[in-house]
Amino acid sequence: MSQIPVFDGHNDTLLKLELGAGTPRERSFFDRAARDHIDLPRARKGRFAGGLFAIYVPSQLGDALKVRYDPDDPANFAEVAQPDALAFTLRMFARALRLERESAGEVRICRTAAEIRAAMADGKLAMVMHVEGAEAIDADMTALEVLHAAGLRSLGPVWSRPNIFGDGVPMACPSSPDTGPGLTDAGKELVRACNRLKIMVDLSHLTEKGFWDVAALSDRPLVASHSNAHAVCPSARNLTDRQLDAIAESRGLAGLNFHVAFLRPDGANISDTPLEVMVRHTDHMLSRLGEDGVALGSDFDGCMVPRAVGDVAGLPVLLQAFREAGYGEELIEKIAWKNWLSVLERTWN
Ligand SMILES: [Zn+2]
């Protein structure tokens, strides 16, 4: 099957490693695990060349192991205080830096597109640091400056809960993504600061109003790292055709999210979800975004993946489904990694 590498827009592997530490669920990134989605041996098997690694702060920090992201449990969507979020963010960032150090050169935290290309050429795993939900950032942006200096290159202003910068969509289906207010004044300042520092602004999880606020402000390509087509699955987490058209106009991209509840038209959490549904989203996204605007944003280690893919080692199965749907090798390469590299280059340069 496919020998095409994948550069992916979103995973929660660092969170899985952080929450598991010191518990029976502890695992090493360097050993093959029987559960979860990404470790180095399985990444190699699936030709996962790297991607955006999220730093995410769970709402239930005191009882993090109980986090199940149950959409019906409001405790999972409670606001987090900035000092708590910053402390957890620094812990996760330190974990990533340690992971790079302990990898004996096999993992590289990349800060430029050239560094990603070099890591891919050398067969090393390229890790781009992403913050999902800006709870750790203070209104005067000091934490943003320091995190940027440490290697942060991508940031989503909100996760699916409110913070000082704006509001996010609930995991509701069927639902419009127009579920609440957009960016606050601090949120608009955050977008300007990201533009200045050349940190990618990620639109996934934002309310539709927030999306349009970023679109009006940002001077960079619009990117939704892990969001699907609302026309196929009417989840609040997915993008309407109008949003997809705005992304296309900015020469941005959207990354296909593998979470079954964001794929299936019925929004159900059922792992027995056919690959055909992933192809349907990709077809629709291609029709609005064009061949340069669609990429992957798996959400590995943060979601329920269709059984046929299973984990990161199953990526070639998805690329094979694209092939069987009639996509040419050149298009598959664009979706698998080239479009991400191109949009990051245009965002960071
Ligand atoms: Zn997410």
Side-chain angles (χ1 to χ4, degrees):
M1 258 195 295
S2 173
Q3 286 306 301
I4 295 174
V6 167
F7 184 91
D8 176 62
H10 193 88
N11 71 67
D12 285 306
T13 304
L14 292 171
L15 182 70
K16 277 276 158 85
L17 296 172
E18 182 66 36
L19 297 184
T23 80
R25 293 188 69 79
E26 178 153 359
R27 65 178 173 100
S28 161
F29 186 72
F30 304 113
D31 300 325
R32 190 190 181 99
R35 59 168 182 274
D36 300 340
H37 293 149
I38 299 181
D39 50 48
L40 199 53
R42 283 184 288 174
R44 294 215 188 295
K45 184 152 186 260
R47 291 224 64 199
F48 175 84
L52 276 71
F53 280 67
I55 293 179
Y56 161 77
V57 181
S59 290
Q60 301 194 75
L61 267 177
D63 208 355
L65 276 181
K66 290 205 173 142
V67 174
R68 288 284 181 273
Y69 306 104
D70 175 355
D72 299 322
D73 183 355
N76 287 329
F77 301 87
E79 293 185 47
V80 182
Q82 192 264 341
D84 296 339
L86 182 57
F88 193 81
T89 296
L90 293 179
R91 254 170 67 192
M92 278 186 69
F93 214 124
R95 175 171 293 280
L97 294 166
R98 214 157 51 233
L99 201 149
E100 181 188 39
R101 258 196 327 271
E102 290 166 357
S103 76
E106 294 304 308
V107 176
R108 294 186 196 162
I109 295 178
C110 296
R111 294 163 175 83
T112 66
E115 286 179 6
I116 301 172
R117 287 187 197 280
M120 289 178 74
D122 295 345
K124 309 302 181 190
L125 192 97
M127 193 181 271
V128 170
M129 299 307 296
H130 167 73
V131 158
E132 180 172 34
E135 277 78 5
I137 312 296
D138 47 292
D140 63 6
M141 312 291 160
T142 36
L144 186 73
E145 298 243 13
V146 176
L147 289 170
H148 175 259
L152 182 71
R153 288 296 177 272
S154 170
L155 174 141
V158 300
W159 183 70
S160 290
R161 65 189 165 206
N163 63 28
I164 62 165
F165 302 110
D167 205 347
V169 288
M171 311 289 175
C173 185
S175 166
S176 153
D178 187 12
T179 58
L183 296 183
T184 62
D185 286 345
K188 290 173 185 169
E189 202 39 60
L190 178 65
V191 172
R192 288 187 200 102
C194 285
N195 280 176
R196 262 197 315 274
L197 290 166
K198 293 174 182 170
I199 295 172
M200 189 185 88
V201 177
D202 184 9
L203 296 160
S204 289
H205 289 278
L206 259 179
T207 60
E208 187 172 359
K209 284 194 179 71
F211 177 100
W212 296 118
D213 286 338
V214 175
L217 257 176
S218 180
D219 59 9
R220 299 284 149 175
L222 299 177
V223 174
S225 68
H226 58 306
S227 293
N228 294 336
H230 196 270
V232 180
C233 163
S235 166
R237 273 284 283 106
N238 289 338
L239 300 158
T240 65
D241 284 349
R242 272 191 70 216
Q243 290 177 299
L244 291 171
D245 293 348
I247 290 172
E249 204 176 306
S250 76
R251 295 182 64 217
L253 68 71
L256 178 74
N257 190 313
F258 297 6
H259 182 41
V260 292
F262 304 153
L263 287 168
R264 300 171 59 91
D266 63 5
N269 264 305
I270 300 173
S271 68
D272 242 325
T273 292
L275 289 174
E276 185 268 330
V277 183
M278 301 179 85
V279 175
R280 268 173 67 196
H281 279 274
T282 312
D283 277 344
H284 188 84
M285 288 155 79
L286 284 167
S287 77
R288 310 303 296 207
L289 296 166
E291 296 200 349
D292 298 330
V294 183
L296 301 180
S298 68
D299 223 343
F300 277 139
D301 280 328
C303 77
M304 185 187 283
V305 172
R307 184 166 309 173
V309 175
D311 62 16
V312 69
L315 282 169
V317 177
L318 174 62
L319 302 192
Q320 186 61 26
F322 289 152
R323 211 166 272 128
E324 280 160 19
Y327 298 8
E329 292 304 298
E330 210 175 304
L331 174 57
I332 297 174
E333 279 200 311
K334 283 185 172 191
I335 295 170
W337 68 277
K338 287 188 171 171
N339 287 344
W340 261 123
L341 266 289
S342 161
V343 86
L344 290 175
E345 219 144 48
R346 282 179 284 117
T347 302
W348 293 341
N349 288 346

